Amino acid sequence: MLDLLSLKAVSKKYGIKQALNNVNLNIKSGKIVGLLGPNGGGKTTLIKIVVGILKQTDGVVTIDGEEPGDITKSYVAYLPDKDFLDENMSIGDTISMYADFYNDFSSKKAYELLEDLKVDFKGTFEEYAAMNEGTTA
């Protein structure tokens, strides 16, 4: 059976800081796995490498036999727990960034949704921050 996720001797350095050091991991299809560790232990770095946001310094990562890239981005997603976009970035610029990153991203559909929600694509995330935070009674 092919591994759904395989990491072989994966390392990541940020300058002189070693975030990951020679990580080996194989996960079979159909398994549920938790990734646990202390703050600063490399969990987020590992996830970002797997989804293709970051590139490892050394080693090989495969998802269903493919290296992270255009093919795997079509079926692997990452939803961070913190905002990761620059709050001063325009919504239109963000749509362009997603269109560059994901081959199957529909800018047309994004602009249609903005129109339906009456959101100005020239606005920034800072201007619409309350939409993300919700309301309290």
Side-chain angles (χ1 to χ4, degrees):
M1 176 192 281
L2 185 66
D3 290 328
L4 180 63
L5 176 64
S6 176
L7 288 82
K8 294 182 181 148
V10 173
S11 296
K12 176 65 179 175
K13 279 187 175 181
Y14 295 102
I16 61 169
K17 170 123 172 87
Q18 186 82 41
L20 298 174
N21 188 17
N22 200 35
V23 175
N24 292 289
L25 176 68
N26 294 302
I27 300 173
K28 302 286 184 202
S29 181
K31 299 294 180 187
I32 297 173
V33 177
L35 187 58
L36 305 173
N39 290 344
K43 300 177 301 291
T44 300
T45 297
L46 180 66
I47 290 169
K48 287 181 177 180
I49 289 170
V50 168
V51 300
I53 294 172
L54 292 176
K55 182 76 176 144
Q56 66 270 24
T57 307
D58 292 303
V60 177
V61 176
T62 57
I63 302 167
D64 205 21
E66 299 282 342
E67 290 189 19
D70 290 341
I71 293 171
T72 60
K73 286 178 190 172
S74 69
Y75 56 87
V76 175
Y78 169 62
L79 181 63
D81 61 347
K82 296 178 184 159
D83 291 336
F84 64 97
L85 298 170
D86 182 344
E87 66 184 22
N88 296 310
M89 185 181 223
S90 78
I91 295 169
D93 287 342
T94 305
I95 290 171
S96 295
M97 181 188 77
Y98 273 87
D100 287 343
F101 192 77
Y102 296 104
N103 285 340
D104 59 349
F105 183 84
S106 172
S107 296
K108 180 179 184 241
K109 183 65 174 174
Y111 283 109
E112 288 172 359
L113 289 169
L114 290 175
E115 187 176 327
D116 290 347
L117 295 169
K118 296 177 180 29
V119 173
D120 180 8
F121 71 90
K122 294 176 186 170
T124 65
F125 286 99
E126 183 177 40
E127 296 168 355
Y128 290 97
M131 291 176 75
N132 189 37
E133 295 169 5
T135 58
T136 57

